Amino acid sequence: MAITAAMVKELREMTGAGMMDCKKALVEVEGDLEKAVDWLRQKGMSKAAKKSGRATSEGLVRVARSAEAVAMSALLCETDFVARGEQFIAMADKVAATVLEQAPVDAEALQGLVGEDLTQLIASVGENMTLGQFVRVPVAANTFVGQYIHANNKIGVLVTVECGSADAAAKPEVAELAKNVAMQVAATNPMALDESSLDAAAVEREREVYRQKALDEGKPAQIVERIADGAVKKFCKEVCLLDQPYIRDDKKSIADVVREAGKACGETLKIAAYTRIQLGA
């Protein structure tokens, strides 16, 4: 029997289940609407769909690793109590492992890979759960990807350090640098790696705020631009990772810390990229 869009729509309205789940149910029972409702109930999808509107502000950030890549993902739920449960932790780990092994290109692809298991868990536990942000970072021979997960598992950071050689990437100084920089990112949430990668519109907004403020205060026209330039320089120091004061020693910038680590291991090191995932962000 041909499954029409109208049949799928009617089943969705009856159960609240997803469109693809409704279509699958109708295919499985050869278009019998009542049996399709029962099929969704048996799979827990109808029950899970009713919870889909609930807010998910708790959860876990998890990391999975292999020799080729590092994956980080967030799984969200309604309460911290559920987030600490064994079933939820196992599911969060499965999501990270799936990102690592299957390399989904977007949220829809990841949903297709783990959605059925997640629906079953929602039905079992009785809380809404949703997939959060995720990232998969390839590991080259001359790179090291460090991680930091905040103690409550609500913030996770990956930092890629680019080295001059594979031997350097294996040195403990590089691993220590990556971890320390990841802790910095977790604590300060920088907007960009450096000034060159900062959003030009954000810089111009900052410049215009202080330019206008100086004009309103009656500052001489010849020094207004200098005031605006100084404000932008300060802004970049606050929001650009490499320019930020190091949280463990504010007399040093992160760029200084990178240089010192490179000198210690006899290599030129570079922070190539970072990713920060925070629940609710």
Side-chain angles (χ1 to χ4, degrees):
M1 179 180 180
I3 306 303
T4 66
M7 293 166 65
V8 174
K9 182 174 182 290
E10 184 177 359
L11 182 58
R12 175 174 170 77
E13 289 173 351
M14 292 172 65
T15 64
M19 295 291 284
M20 294 305 295
D21 291 329
C22 289
K23 184 176 180 180
K24 184 177 180 180
L26 287 163
V27 170
E28 289 289 331
V29 299
E30 299 180 341
D32 188 309
L33 198 60
E34 289 187 6
K35 288 183 179 179
V37 171
D38 291 342
W39 189 90
L40 287 169
R41 290 179 63 196
Q42 290 163 10
K43 299 296 183 182
M45 294 176 184
S46 180
K47 181 180 177 182
K50 292 176 182 177
K51 304 178 187 303
S52 62
R54 297 182 185 174
T56 51
S57 57
E58 296 292 338
L60 297 172
V61 176
R62 307 299 273 180
V63 173
R65 286 181 168 269
S66 71
E68 293 76 31
V70 182
M72 180 170 64
S73 61
L75 181 63
L76 309 176
C77 61
E78 295 178 47
T79 65
D80 186 56
F81 176 77
V82 165
R84 289 184 276 111
E86 290 182 5
Q87 287 180 289
F88 187 85
I89 293 171
M91 187 67 212
D93 287 337
K94 180 171 184 175
V95 172
T98 300
V99 172
L100 178 67
E101 296 161 11
Q102 303 295 324
V105 295
D106 55 25
E108 185 178 354
L110 180 58
Q111 181 70 33
L113 293 169
V114 301
E116 189 170 334
D117 289 339
L118 187 58
T119 297
Q120 295 291 345
L121 183 58
I122 293 169
S124 172
V125 173
E127 273 200 12
N128 187 27
M129 299 173 193
T130 56
L131 297 171
Q133 294 175 271
F134 66 91
V135 65
R136 185 180 186 274
V137 181
V139 179
N142 68 324
T143 64
F144 180 86
V145 180
Q147 71 183 65
Y148 174 70
I149 302 295
H150 194 64
N152 59 10
N153 293 288
K154 297 184 188 304
I155 299 175
V157 177
L158 299 181
V159 169
T160 301
V161 181
E162 194 175 283
C163 310
S165 66
D167 288 342
K171 290 186 176 181
E173 292 90 347
V174 173
E176 183 68 15
L177 171 66
K179 179 182 177 183
N180 288 338
V181 174
M183 291 176 66
Q184 176 87 18
V185 173
T188 64
N189 192 18
M191 291 176 63
L193 180 63
D194 54 26
E195 187 173 352
S196 67
S197 55
L198 191 61
D199 179 18
V203 174
E204 188 52 37
R205 280 197 304 272
E206 196 72 13
R207 183 184 301 279
E208 186 57 32
V209 165
Y210 282 91
R211 181 189 290 125
Q212 192 58 50
K213 183 180 178 183
L215 289 171
D216 291 346
E217 291 174 351
K219 303 289 185 185
Q222 62 268 29
I223 67 167
V224 166
E225 290 305 319
R226 276 187 289 165
I227 292 172
D229 288 343
V232 167
K233 186 175 181 180
K234 182 181 178 184
F235 174 69
C236 291
K237 188 175 181 180
E238 291 172 351
V239 303
C240 296
L241 175 61
L242 294 179
D243 294 331
Q244 286 182 337
Y246 182 34
I247 55 174
R248 290 185 170 182
D249 183 353
D250 61 10
K251 293 182 175 61
K252 300 177 183 177
S253 69
I254 292 299
D256 293 332
V257 174
V258 175
R259 280 191 292 270
E260 288 178 1
K263 186 175 180 181
C265 65
E267 290 274 358
T268 298
L269 305 179
K270 175 184 175 183
I271 304 299
Y274 70 88
T275 300
R276 184 182 188 273
I277 292 179
Q278 179 175 352
L279 300 188

